[in-house]
Structure formats: structure tokens, C-alpha cells
Amino acid sequence: MLSVQLFMVSMMFIGSMASSVEICMDVAQQGCVNLVPVYDWIKRCVLSIFIVFFVAFLPLFLQEFMERGFGRSLLRLGKHFMSLSPLFEVFVTQIYTNSILTNLTFGGARYIATGRGFATTRTPFTLLYSRFAGPSLYLGMRTLLMLIFASLTMWVPHLTYFWATVLALVISPFIFNPHQFAYTEFMIDYREFLRWLSRGNSRTHVSSWITYCRAIRTRITGYKRKRLGHPSEKLGGDIPKASFTVIFVSEILLPLIQAAVCVICYMFVRSFPDGVTPEGAAIYTSGLLRVAVFSVGPIAVNAAVLAALFGLSLIFGPLMNMCCVKFGSVMAAIAHGVAVLSLVGFFEAMWALEAWKSSNAVMGIIAAIAVQRFLFKVLITVFLTREFKHDETNRAWWTGKWHGRGLGSHAISQPLREFVCKIIEMSMFACDFWMGHVILFLLFPICLIPWIDRWHSTMLFWLRPSKQIRPPIFSAKLRSQRRGIAWGYGLLFVLMFGCFVMLIAGPLIFKDLLPQNLGKKVPF
């Protein structure tokens, strides 16, 4: 996995050169950069990976060939490729990698009895997403952006192998989920995903997504010692806070290096003039300032909105909670919605300032994400104290009701700490909202293939359609409810897909109708 990431970083550097300088088309050409040997090196690297990849299957092939003959060995090898085992191997390798690094950094590895049964039941999309977002999906999406940039700037057919490798990190948990592509189940998954993100319990005003965010911070900040008898603290024991010296390299130094590398690439892209003034002077824009604006900008918007909502909840919360039970949920929904819209707005603004040049915009997004990731790591590591096991501070923040929460003297410091947590959580919410939709958009076309659920089960279980496990039998009322959910949320899904396509394809289709010189009119 380290080699894959290093290769993507190399592609990012080469792509930055290919998108900014003139490439030599002939050896005798002057005033250009000869990247042809670099392209040949990329092709040789990918071909060597292919050779190693096929050699890895050689022991299985030879074993089957010696025991059962040539035909059976080809059949067994074909079954492995048909079931997409190479994709699964990439995903499993990343899970092993994350497990080893986490244990080396934080320790506390324990054996979890998972059994040795074969998975035949469907796991909800929400559970798979929350389980594998940290170990695989976030890394896969960041690597996918680097691969998109490399493909836009220096496409060679050999990069197809890395498209399969990187996509395996993103979609493997769902590809190998039984009955993932049944249309009704897919749309019910989409409904539960939206509810997981945004719907809070009307009595407590707590979103289950907040629990997921706090679980991400738990390893670094640790849990406060649990209070005996508190109903929400019955699960799990105390987790010690990680020492700063232990997590410095993994949580601060490495993200800093990655952010610096990405910023350097973007600054190189922006180091060339955008044009000339009427007097003949070259026009330059500051790449470093632009990255700072688009990485800190969404954080500043979230901070401003949270500060305003905090003041409103303090003033009106105690009164509104007496008559409006969902006051806290409404305040949380406003903050979450602004976070999602601001992320889209900054993305489109970045694209507009780059004169609708896709490669430059993607490179800017990569740099902004790397800087944001570093800032969040620093905030969590340096400024956040230990986590409370309960969710009282989260409820108090949205409802404005801080008394009676059992916080004691911590009620003085918790609002400021929760403010920092909420800034991070709002940014993560916007990221998870769009990343989850992107994954669903990638998976949905497969659902449109006729009889895909049957063929997908054949691929996973190596069973003929007549030998497969029968689907569950529902009552007529439940079938009607499920069809209604599938149609209703199917329309919402199509609407969201249309909005997503217009955000990406709209500027490409109507480029001539959009302003072209915004980058020359702003100081960054």
C-alpha cells in the first residue's frame, strides 16, 4: 500500500509538469521538456506489476494442474477472476495495513471472535460505510483524486490497472456484500444512509452520525472515566488517551509532509502567468494563498455558523424546548445543510478561479483536502481533551440547555471544547455526505443490469442460480411499504444524481457562457 501511494505521488508530480510545461513531441524540438522517458518508465512499472500479479496466481494454477488437470485448473482460475478476487486482495491488504499501523501507533489490539461462517446475509450500506471509512474509504478517495489528476494530465492506457486498484479501496466493501444490487434493497439502503447522516432522535436530538465521528476521535483523545450508573455508559471500559510523543509521527508529521507535497505541486501549477496586463506585465496568482483560502474557508464558514447557532440556542433554547421538541434537531439540520452547501460552493469557486480547467481544479482540491486533514489532526491531537462517553454535551449544544446535564465544573469548559468538535464534525459531515453519494452513484448503474442480483450471487457463492439461497418472504403489507420506499427514494436519488452531474458536467458543457477571467480579478 505504501508503494501504491508513492506511485500516486509520483504521478501527481509528473502530472503537474505535464499540465504546465510544453512537452517535447520530437527529440530535436527545442524549448520543451522531454517526458517521453518518464512515460516509458510508467509503462514498464505497470507491466512489471502485471507480471508479479500473474505470478501470484501461479502456485494455485500449478497445484490444481497437478491434482485435477489442465481444464480444472483453468476453471478454478476463471472462478477467482470472475469473483473479482484481485479487487478483494487489494482491499484486504489495506485493512491489514491499517490494522498494523493503528496497533503500532495506539496499541490495545484485542481479539474479536468473528466466527468462521460464510457471509450469506446482506449488510446495510450504512454499517459498511461506518466500518470501513477510516481504514479504507478515505484513503481510497484521496488516492482516486490523485489518479484523476494524473489521468487528466498524462493519460496512458497502462493507468487502467491503477484505476482498478484504487476503485477496489472504495467499492470493495459493497461489491462483496450479498444482494447489494437488488434495486429495492439498494434504495432502502439509501434511505437508511440519509437517516444515519441527518435524522436524530426526537427526544434526545442526537444523530447517530455524531457517535460515528466521536468514535474516530476516541483513539487519540481517549474516553473520560465512565460514571457508574449512567445509562449511556454501560458499554465498553476506559480507553487511555494516546501519548503525544507516540502519535506525533503518524498523526502530525506524516499528514504535514503529505500536505506540503500536495501544496508544492499546486504551487508549481500556479507558478506560470495567467496572462499579461495592457502594459505587457505578466499576471501571476498566489497558489499558496489560494490553497489557504479554499482549505480554511469551509472551516471558517462552519465556525461562523456554529457560533451564530450557539448564541441562538442559548437565548431561545430553554424557552423553545418547552413547546418545540425538535428545536435541537432543526438547529443541527441548519448547520449540517450549510456545511454541505458551503463545500459545494467552494468547489465551484475553485473551478471558476481556475478558468474551468479541470486538472488545475482537481489539483487545488487535492491540496486543500491535504491541508484540511492536517489541521483537523492538529486540532484533535493538541487541543481536544478526553472524550466523554455520554452525549450530554452534544445535546446541550443544539438545545441550549446546559444545566442538569451532570457535567459539574466541566460545564464551563465544555462549550468551547464542543465548539472545536462541532467544527470538525461539520466538515466531516459534508465530506461523508458527498463521498457516500459518490459511492452510491458508482454502484447504482450495476443495479440496472437485468438479473444482476442473480449473477452477483453466482459470482460470490459459486453457485448455480437454481442452487442459490431463496430470498426472504415478506407479507403483502411489508412488500407494499418496501415498494413505496424504493420508488420515493429512487426519485430522490435520481434528483441528487442529476444535481451531481450538473455540478460536474454543467461547467464543462456551458463553459463559453460562464465567466472566464475570475482568476485575474481576485487577489488569489
Side-chain angles (χ1 to χ4, degrees), residues 435-447:
M435 195 172 82
H437 276 83
V438 168
I439 295 174
L440 290 170
F441 293 154
L442 292 174
L443 297 175
F444 181 69
I446 305 178
C447 297

Side-chain angles (χ1 to χ4, degrees), residues 101-123:
L101 293 178
T102 302
N103 190 37
L104 290 175
T105 304
F106 303 106
R110 290 175 295 178
Y111 175 77
I112 300 176
T114 56
R116 295 295 181 265
F118 192 68
T120 58
T121 58
R122 192 178 192 277
T123 304

Side-chain angles (χ1 to χ4, degrees), residues 263-285:
V263 170
I264 288 172
C265 289
Y266 183 69
M267 290 177 64
F268 179 82
V269 171
R270 300 304 313 161
S271 63
F272 296 87
D274 292 329
V276 294
T277 62
E279 293 78 14
I283 301 175
Y284 290 92
T285 56

Side-chain angles (χ1 to χ4, degrees), residues 210 262 371 426 432:
I210 298 296
C262 296
V371 173
M426 291 304 100
D432 286 332

Side-chain angles (χ1 to χ4, degrees), residues 288-408:
L288 185 61
L289 181 59
R290 185 170 292 185
V291 169
V293 170
F294 285 96
S295 57
V296 181
I299 301 176
V301 171
N302 292 336
V305 172
L306 287 169
L309 293 179
F310 178 69
L312 291 176
S313 65
L314 280 181
I315 297 172
F316 299 105
L319 179 63
M320 296 296 293
N321 283 300
M322 298 175 63
C323 61
C324 303
V325 181
K326 294 189 176 183
F327 174 75
S329 297
V330 173
M331 300 293 283
I334 294 173
H336 287 73
V338 172
V340 172
L341 294 178
S342 67
L343 187 64
V344 176
F346 276 97
F347 165 71
E348 294 294 334
M350 167 71 80
W351 206 353
L353 291 177
E354 294 295 343
W356 312 108
K357 188 176 180 180
S358 302
S359 59
N360 287 8
V362 173
M363 188 64 247
I365 293 169
I366 294 172
I369 290 175
V371 173
Q372 275 193 359
R373 180 169 175 262
F374 168 70
L375 293 177
F376 292 153
K377 293 284 188 180
V378 172
L379 287 176
I380 295 175
T381 306
V382 179
F383 296 103
L384 289 188
T385 56
R386 293 189 179 188
E387 292 278 348
F388 278 105
K389 181 72 174 179
H390 58 71
D391 241 352
E392 299 294 338
T393 53
N394 176 56
R395 300 168 186 169
W397 177 272
W398 298 121
T399 61
K401 185 180 178 182
W402 288 89
H403 65 279
R405 297 291 182 183
L407 298 175

Side-chain angles (χ1 to χ4, degrees), residues 170-246:
V170 178
I171 65 175
S172 286
F174 316 103
I175 289 289
F176 298 99
N177 185 28
H179 307 292
Q180 173 65 49
F181 303 107
Y183 175 79
T184 302
E185 299 289 348
F186 190 90
M187 289 305 161
I188 292 176
D189 264 356
Y190 181 59
R191 170 177 175 259
E192 294 303 319
F193 175 68
L194 295 180
R195 295 175 67 181
W196 175 70
L197 283 173
S198 58
R199 182 184 175 185
N201 185 283
S202 60
R203 181 175 60 85
T204 59
H205 311 286
V206 176
S207 172
S208 58
W209 180 85
I210 298 296
T211 306
Y212 157 71
C213 284
R214 299 197 174 214
I216 296 177
R217 299 196 302 265
T218 297
R219 275 291 187 178
I220 301 176
T221 61
Y223 277 141
K224 191 72 175 178
R225 182 172 295 276
K226 63 181 180 179
R227 293 178 293 159
L228 295 178
H230 196 282
S232 65
E233 308 227 7
K234 295 180 180 179
L235 299 177
D238 296 335
I239 300 176
K241 182 178 180 179
S243 174
F244 178 79
T245 56
V246 173

Side-chain angles (χ1 to χ4, degrees), residues 128-140 212 216 432 435:
L128 290 175
Y129 184 90
S130 61
R131 181 178 295 170
F132 295 110
S136 179
L137 301 185
Y138 289 153
L139 173 66
Y212 157 71
I216 296 177
D432 286 332
M435 195 172 82

